[in-house]
């Protein structure tokens, strides 16, 4: 397969083919890229959080990325809604359109379809969705050249802690090498996906930058709530001793009170007593802490999903949920459009250039529902479209069904069954062309036959039993009368109960009973027509 000896990526950098089949961004034993995680969230104060955020805007955001990984572990609600958004991105439909209708561009699109249909590609899309939290996600492509073709063998997500940004623009990502120095990402080796949720430098792009504050404030509420439960969850034990009690007896009574909090069993000398008093708790018995935590959960839902109706119970029920679901779907479609841009640049173009050389244009990867077509309606309309003399490219039909156009001379393809010979035709004789029919002239014998061309207009089929039933049930006078009665009942009713009573009365009236009889008879006639081929009786 033709391949240019010298390739350049979209930035004009020369592609080193010798580096494409080996991993270069994996963990190291002695270098700085080690898989041992850090936990900057442990014991973190608001001042410490502010310092991490300030430092992340420089050239070394490693602690910031480690903090976001901690927050996903410790903030359960944020992790749940983030998983919803990443899961929706991974499961959106994906299509590949050729750059044009040229044969070579259709072949290029088929290659990209094979890549994106690999079993691990859904998981790869989910992992690249980590950019929603951290702003950037880096997937290293390991290529293989078996069967004389370049194909991705694996896509490995690398921790963001192993990357820094250019010291000048704070936007171009750099890989940290074994010696702790920055090196450019090898062309055609990396998918560098940016979430595009905010303008400015990539470090301020992800959802995590806002989520860390909600996590910290909610964490304070949860901690105070736990202290409250520990202090006021059990009734207070009050010990009373006589005035003549010795120091040892007082110590024995205090130990008994403490044991009651752990073992619920204690002994005291005669003359001493223990009372249990119910604690007031104050401030609604801890409700303030719960309400504060719930408030931050709702804000995190709005941050990630744009709404709360699909994660938290709210007033309005089904209608509100449908509206909120539409908001969530719109966000997922945007995420899919942004990921499509990254995949076209960092996956589709390298695959085509490595196998076919540089091109004037590349296949278009589409992720999402925005450009989906009603395949069933299109397939039903195409025969009528062609019958009018308007040609349709076969290359536009195959992608609708998720199929690839068969190569010329390829075995094992499905074909249309051969036409049956006409009655009376001689065995082995040639059948007439499908666009011709044989007919005898009026008054003539079978010996003098002529050929008559079929009209270009489609011939309407004779109506069957079901068609006749549909026409007879469409009694315009009856339907118009019922519609008028229903509209009048709606306009004149002052309550739902009144409207319901009037509709029930209409159903028992002459027009309603006639419609019921017509429906019953039509069902009977339809079954006869279907099972016995019996003619349909006229409806009354």
């Amino acid at each position: 397969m033709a391949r240019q000896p010298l390739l350049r990526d979209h930035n004009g950098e020369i592609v080193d083919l010798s580096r494409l089949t080996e991993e270069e961004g994996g963990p190291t034993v002695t270098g700085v890229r080690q898989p041992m995680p850090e936990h900057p969230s442990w014991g973190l104060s608001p001042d410490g959080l502010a310092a991490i955020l300030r430092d992340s805007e420089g050239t070394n955001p490693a602690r910031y990325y480690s903090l976001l990984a901690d927050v996903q572990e410790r903030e359960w609600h944020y992790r749940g809604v983030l998983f919803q958004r990443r899961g929706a991105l991974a499961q959106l439909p994906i299509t590949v359109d050729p750059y044009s209708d040229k044969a070579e561009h259709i072949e290029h699109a088929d290659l990209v379809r094979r890549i994106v249909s690999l079993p691990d590609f859904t998981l790869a899309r989910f992992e690249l969705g980590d950019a929603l939290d951290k702003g950037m996600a880096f997937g290293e492509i390991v290529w293989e050249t078996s069967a004389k073709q370049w194909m991705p063998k694996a896509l490995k997500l690398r921790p963001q802690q192993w990357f820094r940004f250019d010291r000048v623009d704070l936007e171009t990502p750099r890989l940290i090498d074994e010696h702790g120095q920055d090196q450019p990402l090898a062309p055609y080796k990396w998918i560098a996906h940016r979430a595009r949720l905010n303008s400015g430098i990539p470090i301020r792009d992800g959802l995590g930058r806002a989520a860390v504050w909600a996590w910290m404030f909610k964490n304070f509420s949860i901690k105070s709530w736990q202290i409250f439960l520990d202090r006021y969850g059990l009734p207070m034990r009050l010990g009373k001793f006589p005035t003549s009690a010795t120091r040892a007896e007082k110590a024995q009574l205090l130990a008994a009170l403490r044991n009651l909090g752990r073992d619920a069993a204690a002994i005291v000398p005669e003359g001493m007593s223990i009372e249990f008093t119910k604690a007031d708790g104050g401030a609604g018995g801890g409700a303030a802490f719960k309400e504060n935590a719930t408030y931050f959960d709702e804000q995190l839902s709005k941050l990630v999903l744009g709404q709360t109706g699909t994660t938290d119970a709210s007033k309005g029920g089904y209608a509100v949920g449908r509206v909120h679901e539409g908001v969530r779907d719109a966000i997922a479609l945007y995420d899919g459009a942004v990921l499509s841009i990254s995949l076209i640049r960092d996956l589709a173009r390298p695959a085509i250039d490595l196998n076919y050389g540089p091109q004037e244009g590349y296949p278009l990867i589409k992720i999402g529902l925005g450009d989906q077509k009603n395949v069933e309606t299109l397939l039903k309309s195409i025969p009528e479209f062609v019958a009018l003399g308007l040609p349709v490219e076969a290359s536009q039909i195959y992608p609708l069904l998720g199929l690839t156009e068969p190569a010329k001379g390829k075995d094992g393809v499905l074909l249309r069954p051969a036409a049956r010979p006409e009655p009376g035709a001689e065995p082995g004789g040639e059948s007439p062309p499908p666009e011709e029919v044989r007919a005898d002239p009026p008054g003539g014998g079978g010996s003098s036959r002529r050929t008559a061309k079929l009209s270009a207009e489609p011939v309407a089929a004779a109506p069957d039993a079901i068609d006749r039933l549909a026409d007879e049930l469409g009694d315009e006078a009856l339907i118009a009368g019922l519609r008028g009665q229903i509209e009048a009942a709606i306009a004149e009713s002052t309550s739902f109960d009144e409207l319901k009573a009037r509709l029930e009365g209409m159903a028992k009236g002459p027009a309603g009973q006639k419609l019921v009889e017509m429906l019953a008879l039509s069902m009977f006639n339809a079954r006869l027509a279907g099972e016995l081929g019996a003619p349909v009786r006229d409806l009354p």
Side-chain angles (χ1 to χ4, degrees), residues 55-77:
D55 294 342
S56 69
E57 298 175 2
T59 59
N60 189 13
R63 281 180 57 82
Y64 168 69
Y65 288 136
S66 297
L67 173 63
L68 295 185
D70 270 2
V71 171
Q72 284 196 42
E73 291 182 357
R74 301 181 62 180
E75 177 43 61
W76 306 323
H77 187 86

Side-chain angles (χ1 to χ4, degrees), residues 360-382:
E360 60 176 327
Y362 297 90
L364 181 63
I365 298 177
K366 298 180 180 179
I367 301 177
L369 304 173
D371 196 30
Q372 293 295 298
K373 304 175 179 63
N374 191 324
V375 178
E376 184 178 356
T377 302
L378 283 174
L379 292 179
K380 290 181 179 178
S381 304
I382 286 174

Side-chain angles (χ1 to χ4, degrees), residues 211-246:
V212 291
W213 288 110
W215 158 75
M216 173 158 283
F217 297 144
K218 178 184 173 182
N219 190 46
F220 288 148
S221 291
I222 296 296
K223 184 181 296 184
S224 300
W225 195 3
Q226 294 301 316
I227 295 174
F228 172 83
L229 293 176
D230 181 66
R231 181 172 300 175
Y232 297 106
L234 295 175
M236 185 177 67
R237 288 88 64 197
L238 178 62
K240 297 182 179 181
F241 56 86
T243 56
S244 60
T246 62

